[in-house]
Amino acid sequence: MPEYHITHHNGTEIKVETGSGPEWEGNLNDQPFALDVSDHGPGVWHVIRDGQSYRVYLVSWDQESKTCILDVNGYRMTMKVENAFDQLLHSMGLDDLISKKVNEVKAPMPGKVLAIHVEDGSEVKEGDSLLVLEAMKMENVIKSPVDATVRQIRVKAGGTVEKNEILIEF
């Protein structure tokens, strides 16, 4: 069975093992599960699990960090999804060898900049909060993808941004 390790943005870790074939079943933290999944187009699914209905939208997927943002019945969550190979590289301390240098942070979606937590010249660590972006009436904390020095902040609090607009340069 293919195995995946999922880390939810609240810190919860989940081990998922899936069977081969079209059915969505397997083990979730060593407990059996089964899903009834209907594909409703690219990045949109209707899922039924244990009699509960869920509408799932893939908001974004970052292949490099293996992180996705899902909207499940209006609840937005960020998850990191790693396969067994990713876990092996991490356990050997080799996961940093495949990451590339990040020179900028771009807006993941259009929105309004509510707050900026850093300034030009600030030293930031991976995971530090950089700014807050409001999109679709939800506040999204944009975090640093790397340890770096902020070269230039290219937006202002209260301003609006478009998707993929550069927010901060390192």
Side-chain angles (χ1 to χ4, degrees):
M1 274 186 187
E3 183 177 307
Y4 300 92
H5 293 266
I6 300 172
T7 305
H8 189 272
H9 69 269
N10 69 7
T12 304
E13 293 188 17
I14 303 165
K15 180 175 85 171
V16 179
E17 299 169 294
T18 58
S20 59
E23 298 82 26
W24 286 63
E25 52 187 39
N27 292 316
L28 182 67
N29 287 339
D30 298 321
Q31 297 296 315
F33 77 91
L35 305 175
D36 181 5
V37 179
S38 299
D39 191 342
H40 287 241
V44 182
W45 302 272
H46 180 253
V47 178
I48 297 175
R49 178 176 183 219
D50 297 333
Q52 294 282 338
S53 178
Y54 303 92
R55 185 77 165 176
V56 180
Y57 297 91
L58 176 63
V59 176
S60 68
W61 168 251
D62 180 355
Q63 178 65 35
E64 183 180 329
S65 68
K66 304 216 177 212
T67 302
C68 68
I69 299 174
L70 296 176
D71 181 300
V72 180
N73 290 353
Y75 176 73
R76 194 164 286 203
M77 62 184 78
T78 303
M79 297 186 293
K80 182 173 182 128
V81 180
E82 298 179 309
N83 61 23
F85 181 69
D86 299 321
Q87 289 287 304
L88 177 63
L89 287 177
H90 181 69
S91 70
M92 296 173 66
L94 300 175
D95 45 352
D96 288 339
L97 296 177
I98 60 173
S99 64
K100 66 179 186 181
K101 187 174 178 168
V102 176
N103 295 321
E104 57 198 23
V105 174
K106 295 181 179 181
M109 63 198 81
K112 179 179 180 180
V113 178
L114 295 182
I116 300 174
H117 299 297
V118 295
E119 54 189 43
D120 292 353
S122 295
E123 295 286 330
V124 296
K125 298 285 185 195
E126 181 178 353
D128 285 354
S129 296
L130 300 173
L131 56 88
V132 178
L133 182 65
E134 180 185 52
M136 297 171 31
K137 298 184 181 181
M138 294 183 70
E139 293 184 10
N140 300 282
V141 177
I142 307 300
K143 298 184 178 189
S144 178
V146 293
D147 294 351
T149 301
V150 175
R151 176 182 295 153
Q152 181 183 15
I153 299 169
R154 303 213 8 206
V155 295
K156 300 225 183 290
T160 59
V161 297
E162 295 298 320
K163 182 176 180 172
N164 291 324
E165 183 176 333
I166 298 172
L167 305 171
I168 295 177
E169 290 181 20
F170 295 126

